[in-house]
Amino acid sequence: MTDTIYKPEGTETGAAPPARPAADRSGRVGPLGYGNGPVLAAGIMVGGAVLFAGWGLTQILTADESAANGPEAAAVAAEAQGSKEGTVTVTLPDKDGNGIADELEPPKPEPLPAVPPAREPDPKLTTVVYTIQPNDTLTKISGETGVPIGHLVEANKIQNPNLIYAGASLLIPPVG
């Protein structure tokens, strides 16, 4: 099988193919096209490192020697500084001796008012348990205790007020 290749008109044999138009890379910077992001990130990291190193160096140069040598050296340093001109030492009052100046302590809560003593419950206001006797009725029990029949039925959840049993317990609510 034979294929025929046609050459477009106006092209010469052996000439180089036409050049492709250059791609528009005006929005991209750098050989990989990442823009300024990596450069900016590296600059921020270097700036942070320099700032941290400067802070650490400042801390080392301004460190108080008395803090490194313990409380005895701090007391000696405080006495030496007290003699320097322009240094003022202020001691705030501490009346309770807890090591915290009175002005810096949180306010103390006010004492609660005294609770009155508990009084004895009124016997008329307490619930009494009554044991039903033979031939008792709610009407008879109501008359003896002074509690209305409706209150007896409600307090004891009696479904049929005409039917109560001897020996059963009956709650007598307070009258009031």
Side-chain angles (χ1 to χ4, degrees), residues 81-107:
Q81 288 180 356
S83 63
K84 290 183 181 177
E85 188 175 330
T87 302
V88 178
T89 302
V90 177
T91 304
L92 298 174
D94 182 20
K95 293 178 184 173
D96 54 3
N98 64 355
I100 301 173
D102 294 335
E103 289 82 20
L104 302 176
E105 287 184 15

Side-chain angles (χ1 to χ4, degrees), residues 56-76:
L57 186 60
T58 304
Q59 295 299 315
I60 291 172
L61 294 177
T62 61
D64 186 12
E65 293 178 15
S66 63
N69 296 332
E72 296 83 16
V76 171

Side-chain angles (χ1 to χ4, degrees), residues 16-81:
R20 293 178 25 202
D24 181 25
R25 295 183 184 213
S26 60
R28 294 170 47 178
V29 179
L32 299 176
Y34 292 120
N36 289 331
V39 174
L40 183 62
I44 290 173
M45 290 182 356
V46 168
V50 168
L51 182 65
F52 182 71
W55 174 80
L57 186 60
T58 304
Q59 295 299 315
I60 291 172
L61 294 177
T62 61
D64 186 12
E65 293 178 15
S66 63
N69 296 332
E72 296 83 16
V76 171
E79 288 178 20
Q81 288 180 356

